[in-house]
Structures are given as C-alpha cells and as structure tokens.
C-alpha cells in the first residue's frame, strides 16, 4: 500500500509483476485512519484502522459496505 500525502492511495495485492492494483482515497482524523479503494475488476474495499505512535497501522478491512468482512491487518511505515 502506497499512501500519498494528497489523500490518495494505491494498493498492490499479489506477487511483484503480477499484482492486482487498486486505487482510492484515505483520511486521518486524530489517530483514526479510514480508506476506500477500488480494484479494476470491480471490488470495493473499506479499511478502518488506528495509527499507533510507532507508525503502525492496525485495523480491519472488508468488501464494501463492510470494513470488517475481510479480516485484520497491520502495516509498518517504510
């Protein structure tokens, strides 16, 4: 996941060179991170997470309109 400062993001899901790509938008209110992104083949995904002081995003994701149906995740800033 590449999170841009302009409120957009890009998600690569799968092996390098053949990953599915999705694009979307995000917001950060306090420590609450929310994002929605869309895959070319048609799936919409919603994310709800918390940005921890150690730059970890921890939360859940799901296929819209749910943000929990897919499971949980943790992302580390690189």
């Amino acid at each position: 996941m590449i999170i841009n400062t302009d409120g957009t993001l890009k998600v690569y899901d799968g092996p390098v060179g053949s990953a599915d790509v999705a694009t979307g938008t995000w917001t950060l209110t306090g420590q609450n991170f929310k994002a929605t992104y869309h895959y070319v083949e048609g799936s919409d995904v919603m994310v709800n997470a918390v940005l921890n002081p150690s730059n970890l995003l921890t939360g859940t994701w799901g296929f819209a309109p749910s943000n929990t149906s897919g499971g949980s995740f943790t992302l580390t800033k690189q």
Side-chain angles (χ1 to χ4, degrees):
M1 184 179 283
I2 298 173
I3 301 170
N4 300 305
T5 57
D6 66 356
T8 63
L9 57 82
K10 195 171 223 181
V11 177
Y12 296 90
D13 184 3
V16 173
S18 64
D20 292 329
V21 179
T23 58
T25 59
W26 64 272
T27 59
L28 182 65
T29 305
Q31 292 178 291
N32 297 316
F33 177 87
K34 293 186 183 230
T36 302
Y37 51 93
H38 176 78
Y39 284 96
V40 174
E41 86 282 350
S43 298
D44 291 315
V45 176
M46 299 177 74
V47 171
N48 189 29
V50 173
L51 178 61
N52 299 318
S54 58
N55 282 327
L56 287 176
L57 269 179
T58 306
T60 59
W61 68 276
F63 295 103
S66 172
N67 62 13
T68 59
S69 62
S72 60
F73 73 94
T74 300
L75 292 177
T76 304
K77 182 178 178 183
Q78 296 189 7

